[in-house]
Amino acid sequence: MMTRSGGVPLEASISWGTRIHRSTTGIPHLSGASREAFSKHKLEKFNTSNLQRINDIPECPVFYPTMEEFENPIDYIQKIAPEASKFGICKIVSPLLASVPAGIVLMKEKAGFRFTTRVQPFRLAEWSADDKISFFMSGRNYTIREFEKMANKVFSRRYSSAGYLPDRYLEGEFWHEISSGKIESVEYACDVDGSAFSSSPNDQLGKSKWNLKRLSRDPKSTLRLLKVAIPGVTDPMLYIGMLFSMFAWHVEDHYLYSINYHHCGASKTWYGVPGHAATTFEKVVRENVYGEELLASKGDDAAFNVLVEKTTMFPPNILLENDVPVCKAVQRPGEFVVTFPRAYHAGFSHGFNCAEAVNFAPDDWFQFGSIASNHYALLKRSPLFSYEELVCKEAVLLDNRFFNANSLNLRQVKDFSSQRMIMISFVQLIRLQHRARWLLKKGGAHMHHSSNLTGIVLCSICRRDCYLCYFQCHCNSQPVCLHHVKERADYYCCGKCILFMRKDLQELEAIAQKFEQEDGIKVAIQKQNLLCETKEDGYSPYCEINFFQTPETDAKIGFCSQSSNCISQKEHIVHGSLVFQTFSDSSTLSSSIVLDDGSSVENDDCGKINKGSQANCFHRSSRSEYASTQFSKSYNKHSSDCTMGFSSVLPQDSDDSDCEIFRVKRRSSTNLVKRPVNHVTSTRIPEHQALKRLKKLHQSGESAHLPFHKEHSNHCRI
C-alpha cells in the first residue's frame, strides 16, 4: 500500500485523525476485510480480567551520570552494563538538556519536514490464521505541529483535560482499552528518517557524543566500519506518537544495542525482558500467544519469524505467570532508554511525544552477533549487514594496534576484556572456515581456487553472508557458504567445484594464530568445541590446503552463469535494495542502488555525498510487490555472462508484505551518489498510461507490476 504524497489540508488531517479513534469508516482506502481488522472481540487465551499483576512488575535500573561520566556514552554504558543488562533495559537521566527544543528543530532547522503515520488497530488478537494484527499506512501527511494539535485534541476529548495524567493510571487505561475499550485505532509515526537533535553550536546536548546522529559511528562502536548507511541502525529515526501509540514486542536487528532519547511530550511506558531470557520468552509466546497454524514450524525458533514483523502486542502478565523476568520503565523528556543485546521490549505512549533511536555495537556485541547470524541462517533471513566483515575488520585493526612491532601492550589496555571478545569471535570464524575448506579438498571433488575474485555474496541455501569464502558446483552455480560443506553432495552433481576465497585470507589466518597465543583464547573456544583439534582424519589446524588454480575467466563463467546471489570482478549484481561492486583491492567495497531509469546511486568510501551530486533512494514498502516479482523472474534466469539487466530487487524472504505490515528497519542506503550504469536498462511508462494499465488490471483482478519512477518517490533522502 503506497503512501500518498503531501498536499492534504490541515483541517482534513485533523478531523480524520480524530474520527479514526471512534470508527474506521473514515479511512477511504480500507476494504471491508481490512476494516474488520479493527474490530475487538473477546479473547479466551488472554486473562484480561485480572491485569492487576502488571502493578507487580519491577522498575528497571535508573542511572544519573555525572558530567565527567557523561563524556563518553559507550564507556558509560559499558560501565553500567553488568548491572543493567540483567534487566534488559535501563534508563539514563541526562545531566545535559537541549537548549533548542525538538519542535523548533523540526519546524525551523529542518524546513519542510513532514511525515506520514501508520494506523495501528487498537486491539488484541487471537494470533491465528484468521486473526492477526497488521499496521496500515494512514495516507495522511503531517508537520510536527499539525500532528501535535491532532493528538492533543484526541487526548482532551477523552479525558476532558489538556494536562497529562498519572503514569500508573494511563498504564491501566491502556490495557483496559486495548482489550475491551471503544478506541478502535491510533496513529503512530514510526521509522521517520531524521533527527531532532539541534545543529546549533550553542546546544550542549547536540554538540555532545550523546547526539544520536553520531553515536552509532562512535570509535568504540563497530558499526562505524559499515560503509553503507542503514536507516534506523546507523542513522537515527524519529518516533512521533499520540495517546496509546504502541511499539510491539520485538528484539533489535542482529541483537544490537539500541538507545532511545525522549525529546519532548508525554511519557512512554516500556517493558523489557533480559537477553538471557530471550529463548524462554519466545517459547512462552509460541505456546501461549500464537496458534499452531500461524507458525511455520514447531521448533524453538518458530515464534521469532512472527515476532520479527513487530506487530505482536500482549499484556506482560502472561510473562509473569510463566516465570519470564520482565521489568518496566517510564521514560520522560530528557531521558535515554538503553536496550541490551537480545532484550525483547515493548511499550506505548501516554500522549503526544517525540523520541529518537539508533543502534550501536561495542566490542562485547560480537558474541551476540554470532548468535544472531546463526539464527538468521536457520530461518533463512537475509542479514542487514555482514557479520563476518565486521569481525575481520576489527581483528585487523586490533592486530595493527597491539600485535605489530612497537605497538601497545594489549594487557595494559583497560578494555582488554572487550578486545578479547573480538579475538575469540575472530578465531572461531577462521577455525571453522579453515576446517570446512579442508573438508572440501578431502571430499574428492575436482576443485579450483581463484584468488582474483573478491566480494560478498549471500548463501543460496541459508542467506548467510559469505565474506571470506564460498563454493559452487560447475553445473549449478548458486553460491553455497562453507557451513554446508558436509551437505555438499546435495548441492552439486558433476564433482567439479570451485572454491572462492578472499585474497587476504592467509593474512587473516596468520592474525588468528597470533590471537590464539593470548592466554585464555583457546580455552574459551574449547568450551564451545569449535577448535577442531582432532588429527584422526588427518586434519591439523592451519595446515596448508592446496587447490588447483583456475584462470580468472573460467572462474567467472562457472561463478556467474546462473546465480543472482553472486558478485563478480567489476560487475554489479543485485541483492535486496543494494547492488554490491567488487574491486581488485580486496579491502575496498562499495554499494549501489539501481534505479529503473537505468541509473544507479552509489555509496562512496567515506559515506559522504560528493560535491555537486544528487542523492536519491527509494522506499522499499512502495516497491516491494514489483521488486519481488522481478527477483523471482531474475533468480532463475540463465545468462552467458555476469551482466544482469534487471532493476533493484528484494530477497524472497524479506518484505513481501511491506505494503501493509510495517517494518522497523529498511535495507536502503543514505548518503548516495547518482551515476550511470550502462548495463542496467528498463522501460519507462508515462504516468497517464501507467494509471490506465493499473486500472485495467485492477478491474480484471490481475496484479500490476509497473516500473517505479524515482521522481514519484515520497521518501527520497537528500
Side-chain angles (χ1 to χ4, degrees), residues 10-142:
L10 174 61
E11 181 178 353
S13 296
I14 294 175
S15 61
W16 180 88
T18 303
R19 286 200 309 271
I20 198 170
H21 284 71
R22 297 182 179 180
S23 172
T24 57
T25 56
I27 310 177
H29 59 263
L30 290 183
S31 64
S34 298
R35 290 192 177 95
E36 185 65 25
F38 292 83
S39 302
K40 288 186 175 71
H41 49 274
K42 187 175 180 180
L43 302 177
E44 299 296 336
K45 66 170 60 177
F46 299 136
N47 182 16
T48 55
S49 61
N50 181 21
L51 294 173
Q52 292 301 313
R53 289 205 63 186
I54 293 177
N55 296 329
D56 299 332
I57 298 175
E59 297 283 338
C60 77
V62 183
F63 298 93
Y64 298 85
T66 64
M67 287 298 297
E68 182 179 358
E69 292 174 321
F70 201 69
E71 182 67 23
N72 190 293
I74 293 185
D75 281 348
Y76 183 73
I77 292 170
Q78 293 298 91
K79 177 182 176 181
I80 64 176
E83 176 186 353
S85 62
K86 297 176 184 177
F87 294 81
I89 65 173
C90 75
K91 192 165 70 170
I92 299 174
V93 180
S94 172
L96 288 178
L97 295 178
S99 57
V100 182
I104 294 178
V105 173
L106 297 178
M107 290 296 293
K108 295 185 177 180
E109 290 188 19
K110 301 182 184 301
F113 173 77
R114 303 185 73 88
F115 55 88
T116 302
T117 59
R118 274 82 169 177
V119 179
Q120 299 178 322
F122 196 64
R123 68 179 183 88
L124 299 175
E126 284 282 359
W127 288 104
S128 63
D130 299 324
D131 183 25
K132 53 187 178 181
I133 298 293
S134 296
F135 295 162
F136 300 85
M137 299 300 297
S138 71
R140 297 306 183 199
N141 199 259
Y142 296 96

Side-chain angles (χ1 to χ4, degrees), residues 254-459:
H254 290 268
Y255 300 157
L256 292 164
Y257 283 78
S258 77
I259 184 167
N260 181 293
Y261 181 71
H262 194 319
H263 283 287
C264 62
S267 303
K268 280 187 174 185
T269 290
W270 289 67
Y271 302 104
V273 174
H276 65 79
T279 302
T280 307
F281 174 91
E282 292 170 2
K283 179 181 179 182
V284 168
V285 173
R286 175 169 56 87
E287 295 176 350
N288 296 274
V289 177
Y290 296 146
E292 289 187 6
E293 68 275 18
L294 194 65
L295 303 175
S297 67
K298 295 184 179 180
D300 293 338
D301 297 303
F304 181 84
N305 255 346
V306 185
L307 284 164
V308 78
E309 295 179 354
K310 301 174 184 178
T311 59
T312 301
M313 198 65 169
F314 57 85
N317 62 317
I318 293 175
L319 303 177
L320 294 174
E321 292 165 0
N322 289 275
D323 299 321
V324 178
V326 60
C327 68
K328 68 180 174 182
V330 177
Q331 183 190 22
R332 300 175 179 85
E335 297 177 347
F336 293 90
V337 168
V338 174
T339 71
F340 291 86
R342 212 180 178 185
Y344 277 93
H345 49 283
F348 62 90
S349 294
H350 297 191
F352 166 77
N353 55 32
C354 176
E356 181 174 336
V358 78
N359 292 117
F360 63 99
D363 294 339
D364 66 355
W365 164 78
F366 279 106
Q367 59 183 317
F368 298 99
S370 177
I371 296 171
S373 179
N374 292 331
H375 202 171
Y376 279 35
L378 182 65
L379 299 171
K380 297 180 173 58
R381 299 195 64 84
S382 298
L384 289 177
F385 53 79
S386 171
Y387 166 79
E388 290 185 5
E389 179 183 5
L390 293 181
V391 174
C392 292
K393 287 184 174 180
E394 285 285 15
V396 171
L397 292 172
L398 187 61
D399 177 62
N400 291 336
R401 184 181 177 192
F402 296 113
F403 290 89
N404 292 330
N406 302 319
S407 62
L408 298 173
N409 189 325
L410 179 60
R411 295 190 176 282
Q412 295 176 352
V413 180
K414 63 181 180 180
D415 58 348
F416 170 71
S417 61
S418 62
Q419 308 289 0
R420 187 171 175 270
M421 191 59 63
I422 295 175
M423 291 190 286
I424 292 173
S425 300
F426 179 69
V427 171
Q428 286 178 346
L429 174 63
I430 296 299
R431 282 275 195 153
L432 287 171
Q433 293 276 338
H434 186 273
R435 170 73 172 180
R437 295 201 314 278
W438 185 86
L439 288 173
L440 278 175
K441 173 66 175 178
K442 184 185 176 184
H446 190 107
M447 300 184 190
H448 298 269
H449 166 238
S450 173
S451 62
N452 294 325
L453 291 175
T454 59
I456 299 177
V457 300
L458 291 184
C459 174

Side-chain angles (χ1 to χ4, degrees), residues 537-556:
D537 53 3
Y539 173 77
S540 61
Y542 302 113
C543 62
E544 186 175 0
I545 307 174
N546 296 314
F547 291 97
F548 291 101
Q549 297 293 322
T550 183
E552 179 179 345
T553 303
D554 294 343
K556 287 176 72 173

Side-chain angles (χ1 to χ4, degrees), residues 10 76 167 182 227 276 343 382 502 512 558 633 684:
L10 174 61
Y76 183 73
D167 299 324
K182 295 181 180 180
K227 293 183 179 181
H276 65 79
S382 298
R502 293 187 64 83
K633 291 179 180 178
R684 295 173 57 84

Side-chain angles (χ1 to χ4, degrees), residues 448-455 457 470-479 496-501 549-573 581-584 637-644 679:
H448 298 269
H449 166 238
S450 173
S451 62
N452 294 325
L453 291 175
T454 59
V457 300
Y470 59 92
F471 69 96
Q472 291 177 318
C473 173
H474 196 68
C475 62
N476 178 18
S477 57
Q478 299 296 329
K496 192 174 182 181
C497 276
I498 303 177
L499 176 70
F500 294 90
M501 298 163 46
Q549 297 293 322
T550 183
E552 179 179 345
T553 303
D554 294 343
K556 287 176 72 173
I557 293 174
F559 167 39
C560 292
S561 62
Q562 299 174 6
S563 173
S564 66
N565 292 32
C566 63
I567 305 169
S568 64
Q569 182 79 1
K570 295 185 179 297
E571 295 288 341
H572 290 80
I573 190 68
Q581 181 182 16
T582 62
F583 299 83
S584 58
K637 180 181 177 182
H638 292 260
S639 174
S640 61
D641 56 32
C642 298
T643 304
M644 295 294 174
H679 66 280

